[in-house]
Amino acid sequence: MPDSISTRDIVYIALFAALTAALALFPPIAVPILGGVPISAQSMGPMLAGAILGGKRGALSMLLVVGLVAVGLPILSGGRGGLGVFAGPTAGFLVGWIGAAFVTGMLHEFGWRKLNFLSSFTYAVIGGIGVVYALGIPWVAFWAEISLTKAAIGSAAFIPGDLLKAALVGIVAVTVKRSYPLIQKAA
């Protein structure tokens, strides 16, 4: 059954949820313009999960992270967790991690045969930045009661760091593909 989840899949899902939580240990940099939304290494987690595990398992790993945050585990950057996180300016970005991992992973699956640094980087940008911003920016605009344009301009401060994260994901994904591929070649 190709659509079933094996014990190995569960281990990988939990591993990438733990990796995403561990990325919170890097100190965040707060950006006051966006109501204190921090620049953190943690947003690399969904990109990595999708690029290494594929769409389904990557999204499930981020669903696990979001669920753990919801039940109160302080696994977000700055030691945040609990339902209150979902009523703040970061909620759209956080929920966007699920879609980001899925899109990044599906793109990696479809492009697996010809995967190289540039394609992996591009997939991480589309899924890990594009999807996250598509959900996060409207939420910031709503939360801060500002226009979408102003929220998008404010979010521009995050782009250089996110591009660096996508580049790191590209390097890691190509290396993992060569040494220990977890994504199977698409038919």
Side-chain angles (χ1 to χ4, degrees):
M1 238 192 216
D3 285 342
S4 64
I5 296 179
S6 69
T7 302
R8 179 176 289 190
D9 291 335
I10 292 169
V11 169
Y12 289 141
I13 290 164
L15 176 66
F16 274 82
L19 174 65
T20 301
L23 286 169
L25 296 175
F26 290 94
I29 301 167
V31 179
I33 289 174
L34 292 176
V37 177
I39 295 175
S40 75
Q42 208 164 19
S43 60
M44 190 167 61
M47 292 186 232
L48 279 170
I52 305 299
L53 299 179
K56 180 181 175 183
R57 293 180 295 187
L60 288 172
S61 71
M62 292 304 105
L63 183 62
L64 178 57
V65 170
V66 170
L68 292 172
V69 168
V71 298
L73 269 66
I75 60 173
L76 292 179
S77 184
R80 296 172 303 123
L83 290 175
V85 170
F86 296 94
T90 60
F93 294 101
L94 176 60
V95 173
W97 288 1
I98 300 165
F102 181 76
V103 170
T104 301
M106 292 307 293
L107 290 170
H108 275 82
E109 288 179 33
F110 291 129
W112 190 249
R113 290 187 180 171
K114 295 182 181 180
L115 190 73
N116 58 44
F117 168 77
L118 185 58
S119 62
S120 182
F121 169 78
T122 302
Y123 302 154
V125 167
I126 292 167
I129 299 173
V131 171
V132 170
Y133 281 39
L135 294 170
I137 290 172
W139 184 254
V140 167
F142 169 79
W143 179 259
E145 297 178 356
I146 59 175
S147 70
L148 280 173
T149 303
K150 190 170 182 179
I153 291 169
S155 295
F158 296 96
I159 292 174
D162 287 339
L163 290 172
L164 177 62
K165 293 173 214 173
L168 291 171
V169 167
I171 293 167
V172 170
V174 170
T175 302
V176 169
K177 179 189 178 198
R178 289 183 190 142
S179 60
Y180 192 76
L182 298 177
I183 295 175
Q184 300 301 315
K185 293 180 181 174

